[in-house]
Amino acid sequence: MKKIMFVGRTGAGKTTLTQALKGKEISYHKTQYINNLDVIIDTPGEYAENRTLARALILYSYEADIVGLLMSSLEEYSLYSPNIAAGATREIIGIVTQIDKNDSRPDLAEEWLRLAGCKKIFHISSYTGEGIANLLDYLKEEGDILPWEKKF
């Protein structure tokens, strides 16, 4: 499976998505440091919100195959500069989160991610599971066996 690094504002759903992808029970806890897990690098929102801390994201991106820019469909503005993905040395994908919320605007979040330079965008609800399988299929490499495909 390709290794992905999640980047986004505090509350965008990075840790919740990590739990959903791993099939774990969703429980909120604030990410305090970069968690370099087996195939997921989960980063604190402050690293994306603070220019000084953002340098660490650049360094950690070298350990990933793909960088996922997360944006909640509840956002009032974009954290990402236009065409920020152009300077990346890794594939950048967009992930619109919290699409299950009543006042969500996934189309607006997708537009902002496209302006940032994301060509591939996923719409995700970590709570309902919508879009999780699509993202897992995208990260899956030839020969990978996902947990629900194992034969006992």
Side-chain angles (χ1 to χ4, degrees):
M1 191 163 221
K2 297 173 194 155
K3 189 166 194 166
I4 186 165
M5 181 172 91
F6 293 142
V7 175
R9 184 190 326 264
T10 301
K14 300 173 299 296
T15 301
T16 304
L17 178 55
T18 297
Q19 294 169 355
L21 287 171
K22 292 181 163 287
K24 295 186 175 184
E25 184 178 329
I26 305 295
S27 64
Y28 178 78
H29 67 85
K30 173 72 183 96
T31 303
Q32 299 293 324
Y33 52 86
I34 294 176
N35 293 310
N36 194 346
L37 308 167
D38 46 7
V39 294
I40 300 171
I41 301 172
D42 183 16
T43 65
E46 290 82 3
Y47 282 55
E49 298 164 352
N50 181 307
R51 187 181 319 179
T52 303
L53 295 174
R55 295 177 184 149
L57 295 176
I58 295 166
L59 293 174
Y60 268 94
S61 72
Y62 288 103
E63 296 188 27
D65 300 307
I66 297 174
V67 175
L69 299 183
L70 274 74
M71 179 170 289
S72 168
S73 60
L74 304 171
E75 293 293 346
E76 296 295 325
Y77 62 92
S78 176
L79 177 70
Y80 309 113
S81 301
N83 212 22
I84 194 170
T89 59
R90 300 290 182 265
E91 178 184 2
I92 307 291
I93 63 171
I95 303 172
V96 177
T97 60
Q98 302 174 5
I99 61 170
D100 56 307
K101 304 293 183 186
N102 287 335
D103 50 351
S104 68
R105 299 173 309 194
D107 293 341
L108 181 58
E110 179 175 337
E111 182 179 338
W112 284 333
L113 287 169
R114 291 206 184 280
L115 286 171
C118 299
K119 304 220 181 325
K120 183 75 175 163
I121 298 185
F122 296 88
H123 290 240
I124 301 284
S125 169
S126 296
Y127 286 94
T128 68
E130 185 178 346
I132 296 290
N134 293 337
L135 180 57
L136 280 171
D137 285 343
Y138 189 76
L139 297 173
K140 187 177 170 184
E141 296 181 296
E142 190 174 327
D144 281 348
I145 298 174
L146 298 174
W148 57 85
E149 297 175 327
K150 288 183 181 176
K151 296 185 176 154
F152 297 97

